[in-house]
Amino acid sequence: MQGEGISVGGTDGVGGTGDIPSAPQDTRRRGPVVAALMLAMALAALDSTIVSTAIPQIVGDLGGFSVFSWLFSGYLLAVTVTLPIYGKLSDTFGRKPVLIAGSILFLIGSALCAVAWNMGALIAFRIVQGLGGGALQGTVQTLAADLYPLEERPKIQAKLSTVWAASSIAGPALGGLIAAYADWRWIFLINLPIGAVALWLIVRHLHEPQREKAPRGRTDWAGALAVFACGGVLLTALVQGGVAWGWLSAPSLALFTGGLLLAAAVVIVERRAAEPIIPGWVWRRRTIAAVNLALGALGLLMVAPTVFLPTYAQSVLGLAPVAAGFVLSVMTLSWPVSAALSQHVYRRLGFRDTALIGIGGAALFLFAFPFLPYPGQAWQPALIMLLLGAALGLFQLPLIVGVQSTVGWSERGTATASILFCRQIGQTLGAALFGAVANGVLTSRLGGAGSLDSVARSLENTADPASVADPERLRRAVDSAVDTVYVGAGCAAALALLVLAFLAPRRFPVIGADTPENGEVSAPESGTSTELAPRESPVNRPAD
C-alpha cells in the first residue's frame, strides 16, 4: 500500500512508501498545526457543555420547552451519522480540505444559531453545526496520528484529552457567565473568533504532500445518503422513544421499521459500491472490529457519570449546581493524566493488555458506586470519579493509538471514524437504555408516579416545601435509580473487557514508527505479529 505523510510549516513533499512521511520532521514547526487542532477540538468539546447552562434563558426567550432537548439530540444525530462519511472523504480527498469544509460549516451553523428567531430555527441550525462537528471530531483525531509517529502519538492525544477536560470544566462556567451577564446568543458567537484563528492556522501551516496520481474511484454519495438516512431514523427512534412517545407506540414502531429497512438498503448499496463509505474491512479485521465494539461499550457506560451523576449530586447529596459539576469534573482531571502516562504501560504490556487493566478497573469502580453510604459525603463519589477517569485513560487512548497504528494513511481516516462512530452510537443507546431503566426504578419506588425529569424538577424547588410532598422519599428513589444505572454501566465495562479478552489479538499488528521508508512488510492479521516495544522491531500491517 502506498502511504503519504504530512508536512508542516510550509514544507511540501511527496511521501515515500511506508507510513512515515518523507518530509523532514521538524517538531518546532508542528506547533501551529497542533494549536489549530486543539482549537478545532475545543469548538466541538465546548459546544454541548456551554449550551446546557443557558437553556433556561434560551427557552425563556424563544419558548419551545417541550422540544428543547433536540438542541442536543439534533446535534448528536448530525455528528454521529456524518463521522463515517467524513472519515472516507478524508481518505479520498485529504484531511485538510475536509477539516476546512467542516470548520466553515460549523461556524456558519454557529452564526445562524446566534440569529435564530424561534426554537425550531435554533434546532435546525444546531443540526447544521453538527454536520460540521462530525468533520472536526473525526479529522482532528486522524491528523493527530498523521503528524506524529507511533512513539510520540500519546503526546498529541494527551493534549487533545486535556482540551476535552478543560472544556468540560470551563464550558458550564463560561456558559453560566454569558447567560447571566450577556445575551445567550454570545454562546454561539464566541465560536467565530476561535474558529477563525483555527482556520487561519490550518490554511497557513498545514500542507499535505501531493498524492501519487492514480485513478480515483467515484465517491459513494449514494452510500453516504443511505448512511445518513438510516442513522438519522434509528437515532431519532432511540432519542425520542420513551420520551416524546411510548416505546411500543405507532411512531416508535414506524421509525424502527423504517430504520431496519434503511439498514438493509445501506448493506445493499455499500456492497455494490466500488469505494464504500463503510468498507467491509473495518469489520473483517479482528483488531478494528474488537476495538469498535469495546469503544461502543465505553460510550454506553459514560452515560452514567455524565448524565446521571449531576442529578445524584444535587438531589441526593444536596449540592449546588457548581459543586455538583465539580464532582463530575474530577474525572476529567485524572483522565488526560492517565492517558498521557499510558504509553509507559502499553510499551511494556501491549495495547490490549493495557486497555484490559483500564476497563477492569473501571468496572470495579462503577460496581462500587451503589455501595456508597446514603446520603454520604461529596468526596465519596468524587473519589470514585477520580479513579474512574484514571482507569478510562488507560483504556481508551491505547485502543485509539493502537488502531491508528495498524493502518496506513489511506485507511486511517476511515478506521478512526469507525471507532468514534461506534462510541457515539454507544452513547446514544446508553442514553435511551439507562433513561428507561432509571424511569422504571423511579416509577416502582414512587408507586407509579414520577419520572427522572419530574423528580429532578421537584427537588430543585425545595425552597418551597409545599412543592415536594415527601423529599426524603424522592431522594431515596433517585439514589436507587442512579445506583441501578451504575450497575448497568459496570456491566457495559465488563462486556468491553470480555470483547477485548476474547476477540482482540494479544498483539496488535502495528505499522511501526521506525518502519524503513523504502517499503512496508505485510503480514496477515491472524498471523504472528508484535507491537512496538522498548527493544522490539515495529511490525507490520494487516492484510485485507
Side-chain angles (χ1 to χ4, degrees):
M1 181 187 68
Q2 188 80 5
E4 294 90 357
I6 291 179
S7 61
V8 294
T11 302
D12 287 323
V14 180
T17 57
D19 192 44
I20 307 305
S22 59
Q25 294 290 305
D26 188 345
T27 57
R28 293 173 300 175
R29 304 181 78 175
R30 282 192 303 217
V33 178
V34 173
L37 297 184
M38 294 178 71
L39 286 173
M41 186 62 79
L43 287 176
L46 276 171
D47 190 77
S48 294
T49 57
I50 197 173
V51 172
S52 62
T53 54
I55 287 300
Q57 289 75 18
I58 294 173
V59 172
D61 189 13
L62 300 180
F65 178 80
S66 62
V67 295
F68 85 89
S69 63
W70 271 99
L71 292 177
F72 306 98
S73 300
Y75 181 86
L76 176 65
L77 290 172
V79 169
T80 302
V81 300
T82 55
L83 272 169
I85 297 172
Y86 284 125
K88 183 63 179 178
L89 291 178
S90 74
D91 284 342
T92 303
F93 298 104
R95 325 293 190 213
K96 184 174 181 178
V98 171
L99 184 56
I100 289 175
S103 300
I104 291 173
L105 192 56
F106 185 90
L107 295 179
I108 289 174
S110 298
L112 291 173
C113 286
V115 298
W117 52 90
N118 58 36
M119 185 61 74
L122 184 58
I123 290 170
F125 298 149
R126 283 281 289 168
I127 293 175
V128 174
Q129 261 193 317
L131 295 176
L136 294 180
Q137 290 194 28
T139 311
V140 166
Q141 290 281 3
T142 305
L143 269 169
D146 288 344
L147 283 172
Y148 286 80
L150 173 58
E151 67 272 11
E152 295 184 40
R153 282 175 194 159
K155 297 179 181 178
I156 182 62
Q157 291 290 352
K159 291 178 180 178
L160 295 178
S161 296
T162 301
V163 170
W164 279 99
S167 299
S168 67
I169 298 172
L174 183 59
L177 288 173
I178 291 176
Y181 298 104
D183 193 275
W184 61 264
R185 299 176 189 272
W186 282 100
I187 286 175
F188 300 103
L189 291 175
I190 198 172
N191 291 334
L192 302 183
I194 297 174
V197 173
L199 266 177
W200 180 83
L201 290 172
I202 292 166
V203 172
R204 174 70 179 83
H205 294 283
L206 176 61
H207 300 273
E208 295 185 282
Q210 294 294 322
R211 303 181 66 189
E212 182 178 307
K213 298 297 182 182
R216 177 179 287 166
R218 296 179 60 185
T219 302
D220 181 22
W221 294 115
L225 180 61
V227 170
F228 189 88
C230 177
V233 171
L234 286 177
L235 292 179
T236 300
L238 291 171
V239 169
Q240 293 295 94
V243 179
W245 48 71
W247 286 109
L248 298 179
S249 65
S252 280
L253 295 176
L255 284 171
F256 280 117
T257 301
L260 293 176
L261 292 175
L262 287 169
V266 168
V267 173
I268 294 172
V269 170
E270 294 296 86
R271 292 187 67 176
R272 294 179 177 179
E275 294 289 337
I277 290 293
I278 304 179
W281 58 261
V282 167
W283 293 103
R284 286 195 300 268
R285 294 183 189 172
R286 182 180 169 193
T287 302
I288 302 176
V291 171
N292 281 344
L293 293 174
L295 288 186
L298 172 65
L300 193 70
L301 71 87
M302 281 302 296
V303 172
T306 56
V307 175
F308 291 92
L309 185 62
T311 298
Y312 172 88
Q314 294 183 62
S315 303
V316 178
L317 302 182
L319 300 179
V322 174
F326 176 76
V327 172
L328 175 60
S329 67
V330 293
M331 179 179 70
T332 63
L333 297 177
S334 58
W335 191 320
V337 174
S338 174
L341 297 176
S342 67
Q343 61 174 314
H344 303 294
V345 182
Y346 69 65
R347 285 183 178 279
R348 292 181 177 274
L349 303 180
F351 293 123
R352 191 200 70 164
D353 290 350
T354 301
L356 283 173
I357 293 173
I359 197 61
L364 291 176
F365 302 138
L366 289 166
F367 282 129
F369 189 92
F371 293 97
L372 293 178
Y374 175 88
Q377 303 294 320
W379 67 266
Q380 294 165 334
L383 177 60
I384 287 183
M385 291 303 101
L386 187 72
L387 296 173
L388 180 63
L392 293 178
L394 282 179
F395 170 67
Q396 178 179 258
L397 182 61
L399 294 182
I400 292 177
V401 173
V403 165
Q404 289 177 332
S405 302
T406 65
V407 295
W409 187 96
S410 62
E411 296 177 336
R412 190 173 291 143
T414 299
T416 303
S418 74
I419 58 180
L420 296 178
F421 175 75
C422 289
R423 188 179 66 185
Q424 289 283 102
I425 290 293
Q427 186 172 354
T428 305
L429 287 171
L433 175 62
F434 291 145
V437 168
N439 279 322
V441 173
L442 286 171
T443 300
S444 174
R445 292 296 299 266
L446 297 176
S451 66
L452 190 64
D453 290 338
S454 63
V455 171
R457 286 195 297 270
S458 296
L459 289 171
E460 287 173 1
N461 197 24
T462 53
D464 179 11
S467 67
V468 184
D470 190 349
E472 181 63 19
R473 185 185 180 199
L474 292 177
R475 289 191 180 94
R476 287 193 175 274
V478 171
D479 180 64
S480 297
V482 175
D483 284 349
T484 305
V485 167
Y486 267 82
V487 170
C491 292
L495 177 62
L497 187 148
L498 293 175
V499 165
L500 290 179
F502 292 102
L503 296 184
R506 186 171 183 274
R507 293 287 179 180
F508 285 19
V510 167
I511 302 172
D514 300 322
T515 299
E517 290 183 7
N518 61 354
E520 293 177 351
V521 182
S522 294
E525 185 162 319
S526 58
T528 302
S529 59
T530 56
E531 293 171 359
L532 183 65
R535 293 179 179 85
E536 295 174 348
S537 297
V539 249
N540 300 336
R541 59 152 287 120
D544 289 344

